Amino acid sequence: MKHNVYASILTKVASDKSSLYPLAAEEHTPLDTLISIWSQKETTRVRADMPRQRRRIKDFVQQFANGKRIDVIAEEAHFPPYLMAKLIVSSEYKDIKRPLQNPSAIPDQRLREEVAYCVEIDDMYSSSTDRIRKAVGQEKERELQDFLRSRGVLFETEEDLRRQGVPKTPDVLLSVPLILRGNPVFWIDSKATFGEPVVHKANLEGQFTQYVNLFGPGAVFYWFDFDEDIVEQSADVGVLVLKDLSDIAVEPFY
């Protein structure tokens, strides 16, 4: 995705997830890509807003004590319901371990029911959302691995490498390097997200550079597209950026 298109989409993505459906048609962009962009934008906003919200815990607790529902408090504060419930519960019951994973441990019935409801409706931070996100990531890893196997490409998986005690493990370490777009590729990492510049830069400076140092040049696969501005900076350190399985034209490197 060209940077100007990504920048335009960012300005149109609202905090309300339902806005993505008409935007997908307007921008001729897959909904999965827009959901990934929305998720990244919301995560950045919420992370920046967290200190301010923490300073208001006493106010939130008082609102709840006065009868206001937690999901309403969260909506008015423009804060995820799961995290709002976590703030209120942690203030009231510091001795309960992982109360949002186990709302039944909360003694107060009203609080218990409202926490359970916030967990149910939050599509960003709840444990069920985390499980879905993890499952999608694993599914995409398997899809990449199945594609390589179908073309006779030999490789070791992250699990194979961990059993050998390798400390830093890409999703796929090729037994015989490939040439992709004229570049030797020794490993491939799968990311079931949109390749957003800030997050990609952090991965590049940490995770991907370590892979390059250990195994040689490699590739990262962003299943939900990427901002094309990340391509050049990645190439400078030996990382190719891909988004389609058709980008992997199997050509062994000897």
Side-chain angles (χ1 to χ4, degrees):
M1 179 183 293
K2 298 219 176 271
H3 177 73
N4 64 321
V5 174
Y6 171 60
S8 173
I9 288 174
L10 270 184
T11 64
K12 298 175 182 177
V13 169
S15 58
D16 181 4
K17 193 175 181 180
S18 64
S19 67
L20 301 179
Y21 297 91
L23 186 59
E26 177 187 337
E27 294 289 338
H28 305 289
T29 301
L31 182 60
D32 285 345
T33 295
L34 292 183
I35 290 174
S36 185
I37 292 172
W38 170 82
S39 176
Q40 291 167 341
K41 183 178 180 179
E42 277 295 287
T43 299
T44 300
R45 181 191 67 79
V46 170
R47 186 181 294 120
D49 196 35
M50 181 65 81
R52 183 179 69 88
Q53 301 290 7
R54 287 186 185 280
R55 291 193 294 269
R56 298 185 60 198
I57 288 180
K58 289 184 179 180
D59 175 41
F60 297 144
V61 170
Q62 188 60 53
Q63 290 184 51
F64 175 75
N66 291 341
K68 186 174 288 188
R69 297 199 320 269
I70 297 176
D71 61 302
V72 175
I73 298 171
E75 183 177 4
E76 292 177 352
H78 198 37
F79 202 59
Y82 180 91
L83 295 182
M84 180 60 71
K86 187 174 183 179
L87 287 179
I88 292 174
V89 172
S90 63
S91 174
E92 295 296 284
Y93 296 100
K94 294 182 172 62
D95 58 329
I96 299 179
K97 293 183 179 179
R98 302 172 66 84
L100 273 72
Q101 280 71 40
N102 184 27
S104 61
I106 300 172
D108 181 87
Q109 180 180 354
R110 179 191 162 211
L111 181 58
R112 180 171 65 248
E113 291 175 351
E114 292 197 21
V115 166
Y117 179 67
C118 287
V119 170
E120 178 185 344
I121 65 172
D122 195 307
D123 57 3
M124 269 287 291
Y125 289 95
S126 71
S127 54
S128 60
T129 301
D130 284 340
R131 287 194 294 272
I132 292 171
R133 192 178 294 118
K134 183 177 180 180
V136 171
Q138 292 172 337
E139 177 188 342
K140 292 302 183 183
E141 287 177 23
R142 286 193 296 269
E143 189 173 338
L144 172 63
Q145 293 168 6
D146 288 346
F147 175 85
L148 294 173
R149 288 191 185 99
S150 71
R151 281 149 180 78
V153 177
L154 300 179
F155 60 88
E156 294 177 286
T157 66
E158 184 176 7
E159 291 73 21
D160 295 332
L161 296 170
R162 283 180 176 170
R163 282 194 292 268
Q164 297 171 31
V166 179
K168 304 297 180 182
T169 56
D171 293 319
V172 168
L173 180 64
L174 300 167
S175 302
V176 178
L178 301 174
I179 291 291
L180 302 180
R181 297 181 182 172
N183 301 282
V185 169
F186 291 76
W187 55 268
I188 304 175
D189 210 54
S190 173
K191 298 291 185 187
T193 61
F194 178 86
E196 184 268 341
V198 174
V199 174
H200 177 76
K201 184 174 184 292
N203 286 333
L204 198 63
E205 294 174 348
Q207 182 183 26
F208 300 151
T209 297
Q210 290 175 336
Y211 295 163
V212 171
N213 291 338
L214 284 170
F215 309 115
V220 56
F221 202 98
Y222 284 112
W223 288 91
F224 302 133
D225 210 341
F226 55 83
D227 180 341
E228 288 186 359
D229 273 13
I230 71 176
V231 172
E232 187 173 346
Q233 61 174 316
S234 304
D236 290 341
V237 297
V239 177
L240 192 64
V241 184
L242 310 171
K243 66 176 181 179
D244 295 310
L245 289 174
S246 59
D247 291 334
I248 306 178
V250 176
E251 180 184 341
F253 171 69
Y254 297 100

